[in-house]
Amino acid sequence: MDISDLPRSKWDGTPLLSAPEAIAKRRAIRKFDPDRPIPDGLLKQILGLATLAPSSYNTQPFRFLVVRSQKNRERLRACAYGQPKVGEAPVVIVVLGYHYPHKTHLPAIVDQSVRLGTMTKEIGASVVGMASAFLERVTNRDEWATRSTMPAAATLMIAAESLGVSSAPMEGFEPTKIRQEFGVPDDHAICALIALGFAREEPEFPGRLPLSAVCFEEHFGQPWTLGEP
Amino acid sequence: MDISDLPRSKWDGTPLLSAPEAIAKRRAIRKFDPDRPIPDGLLKQILGLATLAPSSYNTQPFRFLVVRSQKNRERLRACAYGQPKVGEAPVVIVVLGYHYPHKTHLPAIVDQSVRLGTMTKEIGASVVGMASAFLERVTNRDEWATRSTMPAAATLMIAAESLGVSSAPMEGFEPTKIRQEFGVPDDHAICALIALGFAREEPEFPGRLPLSAVCFEEHFGQPWTLGEP
């Protein structure tokens, strides 16, 4: 996406949420309004923002299989233990992590950076070499693709919330069935499903562990001393 | 964190970035100002927001090992192929994914939800059962923990950017060395390093592939038709 053309308000003209608000107000929604579709332009904003997530050497291994037709959402629902929200939300995204972006997309990615002036042609050539060497050494390609794709999934949900669209990430699905039904090849990890739409509920915040339970200071196991008990 | 107490401005009083701005303006920084530390309260805001990322059954497997002392950042740098930014940035976070939150933390997590009124005691008990059964069936625990932790890593960087703090995610490090040096046990995946601080450079946007290259419509391989070539 063209980052000089960021959304300046929600689709309905009301103010965008700040990043902390969007992060804090996002809840995993169970009930979506099936009669309220996401306008094409709004979906495009959300996906465009998701692509701005970081990835190693800007290889962008994230892929978004956008399922919108009722028929296909019902097929997807059958691959996701029948979860009602897959049939109800107007958009469900199958988030995929591609194993080999350095083999197929890196030259185009680097050419773009050279065109935008962020690197010279010579540096671009050396980046292609370094990135390819680094990514060739990856031993677990499914894990690498997943690790490199989930930041885009999180970015997508924060962007959606900021723009007034609710979401629900899901890991309850059968990858083999999705591969069969939607033609996803083995060189793409199936990382998550994300339902998008307008909520028909307002779930409360379920809480989080205190920082003292999830942070360590300087060494694993050493308690966090930054002012929280 | 207490979500009724979100930051309303950056640490210096200037306006927070909207989520789209924070997502778009974040760049992977190479040069940090080594003489400008991150105030404790600001670091706490960033980490608190990171914990608001979603995870399955709210199990919160993300752990943040916060390395701030010069000596330890130099030790960490030696585990990260000598990357200068690890020594230069005032804070480097080793992002970990814990394999077994359902075994050790789920009852406390559900108790908190019950206290906050988001579920009854009875539903809480059934959630503990369902979540434990689901998470026990996970076959690749390192991949699960990584997949469930990277959304928090992305949330952390977006929150930081919105609050005026720059970041750099890194996957160039030697996990075995980090385990030895910082006591990280094998039941925690080492997902990423994230340097945090104030940038001494303003890198330009290196570009992204168009949506047509990363989105499919309804079926894998079927081209995206939402208005972009």
Short mmCIF file of all heavy atoms in Angstrom, two decimals, chain A residues 90-116:
data_model
loop_
_atom_site.label_atom_id
_atom_site.label_comp_id
_atom_site.label_asym_id
_atom_site.label_seq_id
_atom_site.Cartn_x
_atom_site.Cartn_y
_atom_site.Cartn_z
N PRO A 90 -18.81 -11.84 7.76
CA PRO A 90 -18.86 -11.65 6.30
C PRO A 90 -17.54 -11.98 5.61
O PRO A 90 -17.53 -12.26 4.41
CB PRO A 90 -19.21 -10.17 6.15
CG PRO A 90 -18.81 -9.53 7.45
CD PRO A 90 -19.02 -10.58 8.50
N VAL A 91 -16.44 -11.91 6.35
CA VAL A 91 -15.12 -12.20 5.78
C VAL A 91 -14.37 -13.12 6.73
O VAL A 91 -14.33 -12.86 7.93
CB VAL A 91 -14.29 -10.90 5.59
CG1 VAL A 91 -12.88 -11.24 5.08
CG2 VAL A 91 -14.98 -9.92 4.66
N VAL A 92 -13.80 -14.18 6.19
CA VAL A 92 -12.89 -15.00 6.99
C VAL A 92 -11.60 -15.14 6.19
O VAL A 92 -11.63 -15.48 4.99
CB VAL A 92 -13.47 -16.39 7.32
CG1 VAL A 92 -12.51 -17.16 8.23
CG2 VAL A 92 -14.84 -16.26 7.98
N ILE A 93 -10.50 -14.83 6.85
CA ILE A 93 -9.20 -14.87 6.17
C ILE A 93 -8.42 -16.09 6.64
O ILE A 93 -8.26 -16.31 7.85
CB ILE A 93 -8.43 -13.57 6.45
CG1 ILE A 93 -9.21 -12.41 5.81
CG2 ILE A 93 -7.01 -13.64 5.88
CD1 ILE A 93 -8.65 -11.06 6.11
N VAL A 94 -7.97 -16.88 5.69
CA VAL A 94 -7.05 -17.96 6.01
C VAL A 94 -5.64 -17.37 5.88
O VAL A 94 -5.23 -16.99 4.78
CB VAL A 94 -7.23 -19.16 5.05
CG1 VAL A 94 -6.34 -20.33 5.49
CG2 VAL A 94 -8.69 -19.58 4.98
N VAL A 95 -4.95 -17.27 7.02
CA VAL A 95 -3.63 -16.64 7.02
C VAL A 95 -2.59 -17.72 6.74
O VAL A 95 -2.49 -18.71 7.48
CB VAL A 95 -3.35 -15.95 8.37
CG1 VAL A 95 -1.98 -15.28 8.35
CG2 VAL A 95 -4.44 -14.94 8.70
N LEU A 96 -1.82 -17.52 5.67
CA LEU A 96 -0.84 -18.51 5.23
C LEU A 96 0.57 -17.96 5.34
O LEU A 96 0.78 -16.75 5.17
CB LEU A 96 -1.11 -18.89 3.77
CG LEU A 96 -2.53 -19.35 3.42
CD1 LEU A 96 -2.68 -19.49 1.91
CD2 LEU A 96 -2.84 -20.67 4.11
N GLY A 97 1.51 -18.83 5.60
CA GLY A 97 2.93 -18.45 5.64
C GLY A 97 3.68 -19.21 4.56
O GLY A 97 3.80 -20.43 4.60
N TYR A 98 4.22 -18.45 3.60
CA TYR A 98 4.86 -19.06 2.43
C TYR A 98 6.32 -19.39 2.75
O TYR A 98 7.05 -18.56 3.28
CB TYR A 98 4.75 -18.07 1.26
CG TYR A 98 5.47 -18.44 -0.01
CD1 TYR A 98 5.52 -19.75 -0.46
CD2 TYR A 98 6.07 -17.45 -0.79
CE1 TYR A 98 6.17 -20.07 -1.64
CE2 TYR A 98 6.72 -17.76 -1.97
CZ TYR A 98 6.77 -19.08 -2.39
OH TYR A 98 7.41 -19.38 -3.55
N HIS A 99 6.71 -20.62 2.41
CA HIS A 99 8.05 -21.11 2.77
C HIS A 99 9.20 -20.46 1.98
O HIS A 99 10.30 -20.39 2.48
CB HIS A 99 8.14 -22.62 2.52
CG HIS A 99 7.32 -23.46 3.44
ND1 HIS A 99 7.45 -24.82 3.51
CD2 HIS A 99 6.37 -23.15 4.37
CE1 HIS A 99 6.61 -25.32 4.41
NE2 HIS A 99 5.94 -24.32 4.94
N TYR A 100 8.96 -20.08 0.76
CA TYR A 100 10.08 -19.74 -0.14
C TYR A 100 10.03 -18.35 -0.78
O TYR A 100 10.39 -18.22 -1.96
CB TYR A 100 10.16 -20.79 -1.26
CG TYR A 100 10.33 -22.21 -0.77
CD1 TYR A 100 9.31 -23.14 -0.92
CD2 TYR A 100 11.50 -22.59 -0.11
CE1 TYR A 100 9.45 -24.45 -0.44
CE2 TYR A 100 11.65 -23.88 0.37
CZ TYR A 100 10.63 -24.81 0.19
OH TYR A 100 10.77 -26.08 0.67
N PRO A 101 9.64 -17.31 -0.05
CA PRO A 101 9.57 -15.98 -0.69
C PRO A 101 10.93 -15.54 -1.24
O PRO A 101 10.99 -14.81 -2.23
CB PRO A 101 9.10 -15.06 0.43
CG PRO A 101 9.50 -15.75 1.70
CD PRO A 101 9.35 -17.21 1.40
N HIS A 102 12.02 -16.02 -0.61
CA HIS A 102 13.36 -15.60 -1.08
C HIS A 102 13.68 -16.20 -2.44
O HIS A 102 14.51 -15.68 -3.17
CB HIS A 102 14.43 -15.98 -0.06
CG HIS A 102 14.50 -17.46 0.22
ND1 HIS A 102 13.46 -18.16 0.80
CD2 HIS A 102 15.47 -18.37 -0.01
CE1 HIS A 102 13.81 -19.43 0.92
NE2 HIS A 102 15.01 -19.59 0.44
N LYS A 103 13.01 -17.31 -2.77
CA LYS A 103 13.29 -17.93 -4.07
C LYS A 103 12.48 -17.29 -5.20
O LYS A 103 12.91 -17.30 -6.35
CB LYS A 103 12.94 -19.43 -4.03
CG LYS A 103 13.90 -20.22 -3.17
CD LYS A 103 13.79 -21.71 -3.44
CE LYS A 103 14.80 -22.48 -2.60
NZ LYS A 103 14.57 -23.93 -2.68
N THR A 104 11.30 -16.79 -4.88
CA THR A 104 10.41 -16.32 -5.95
C THR A 104 10.16 -14.81 -5.95
O THR A 104 9.86 -14.24 -7.00
CB THR A 104 9.04 -17.02 -5.85
OG1 THR A 104 8.56 -16.87 -4.50
CG2 THR A 104 9.16 -18.49 -6.17
N HIS A 105 10.23 -14.16 -4.79
CA HIS A 105 9.80 -12.76 -4.72
C HIS A 105 10.88 -11.75 -4.38
O HIS A 105 10.67 -10.55 -4.51
CB HIS A 105 8.65 -12.62 -3.71
CG HIS A 105 7.36 -13.23 -4.16
ND1 HIS A 105 7.19 -14.59 -4.28
CD2 HIS A 105 6.19 -12.68 -4.54
CE1 HIS A 105 5.96 -14.84 -4.71
NE2 HIS A 105 5.33 -13.71 -4.87
N LEU A 106 12.04 -12.25 -3.90
CA LEU A 106 13.04 -11.32 -3.38
C LEU A 106 13.57 -10.33 -4.44
O LEU A 106 13.69 -9.14 -4.13
CB LEU A 106 14.18 -12.12 -2.73
CG LEU A 106 15.11 -11.35 -1.80
CD1 LEU A 106 14.35 -10.59 -0.73
CD2 LEU A 106 16.10 -12.31 -1.15
N PRO A 107 13.85 -10.76 -5.66
CA PRO A 107 14.34 -9.78 -6.64
C PRO A 107 13.33 -8.64 -6.86
O PRO A 107 13.73 -7.47 -6.89
CB PRO A 107 14.52 -10.63 -7.91
CG PRO A 107 14.80 -12.01 -7.38
CD PRO A 107 13.93 -12.15 -6.16
N ALA A 108 12.04 -8.96 -6.95
CA ALA A 108 11.03 -7.91 -7.14
C ALA A 108 10.97 -6.98 -5.93
O ALA A 108 10.81 -5.76 -6.06
CB ALA A 108 9.66 -8.53 -7.39
N ILE A 109 11.11 -7.57 -4.73
CA ILE A 109 11.06 -6.78 -3.49
C ILE A 109 12.25 -5.81 -3.44
O ILE A 109 12.09 -4.64 -3.11
CB ILE A 109 11.05 -7.74 -2.27
CG1 ILE A 109 9.69 -8.44 -2.18
CG2 ILE A 109 11.38 -6.99 -0.98
CD1 ILE A 109 9.66 -9.65 -1.24
N VAL A 110 13.42 -6.32 -3.79
CA VAL A 110 14.62 -5.48 -3.74
C VAL A 110 14.58 -4.43 -4.85
O VAL A 110 14.94 -3.27 -4.63
CB VAL A 110 15.88 -6.36 -3.79
CG1 VAL A 110 17.12 -5.53 -4.11
CG2 VAL A 110 16.06 -7.10 -2.46
N ASP A 111 14.10 -4.80 -6.02
CA ASP A 111 13.96 -3.82 -7.11
C ASP A 111 13.09 -2.65 -6.67
O ASP A 111 13.39 -1.48 -6.96
CB ASP A 111 13.29 -4.46 -8.35
CG ASP A 111 14.28 -5.26 -9.18
OD1 ASP A 111 15.50 -5.21 -8.87
OD2 ASP A 111 13.84 -5.95 -10.12
N GLN A 112 12.01 -2.98 -5.95
CA GLN A 112 11.11 -1.92 -5.48
C GLN A 112 11.85 -0.98 -4.52
O GLN A 112 11.72 0.24 -4.61
CB GLN A 112 9.90 -2.56 -4.78
CG GLN A 112 8.82 -1.55 -4.40
CD GLN A 112 7.66 -2.21 -3.65
OE1 GLN A 112 7.84 -3.20 -2.93
NE2 GLN A 112 6.46 -1.68 -3.84
N SER A 113 12.63 -1.57 -3.60
CA SER A 113 13.38 -0.75 -2.64
C SER A 113 14.39 0.16 -3.37
O SER A 113 14.58 1.31 -2.99
CB SER A 113 14.14 -1.63 -1.65
OG SER A 113 13.24 -2.41 -0.91
N VAL A 114 15.03 -0.39 -4.41
CA VAL A 114 15.97 0.41 -5.19
C VAL A 114 15.21 1.56 -5.87
O VAL A 114 15.64 2.72 -5.84
CB VAL A 114 16.71 -0.47 -6.23
CG1 VAL A 114 17.52 0.39 -7.20
CG2 VAL A 114 17.60 -1.49 -5.52
N ARG A 115 14.05 1.24 -6.45
CA ARG A 115 13.23 2.28 -7.09
C ARG A 115 12.82 3.36 -6.09
O ARG A 115 12.79 4.54 -6.40
CB ARG A 115 11.96 1.65 -7.68
CG ARG A 115 12.03 1.41 -9.15
CD ARG A 115 10.67 1.12 -9.81
NE ARG A 115 9.66 0.48 -8.99
CZ ARG A 115 9.50 -0.84 -8.84
NH1 ARG A 115 10.30 -1.67 -9.46
NH2 ARG A 115 8.53 -1.31 -8.08
N LEU A 116 12.47 2.93 -4.84
CA LEU A 116 12.05 3.90 -3.83
C LEU A 116 13.24 4.64 -3.21
O LEU A 116 13.07 5.51 -2.37
CB LEU A 116 11.25 3.19 -2.73
CG LEU A 116 9.85 2.71 -3.15
CD1 LEU A 116 9.24 1.81 -2.07
CD2 LEU A 116 8.92 3.90 -3.41
#
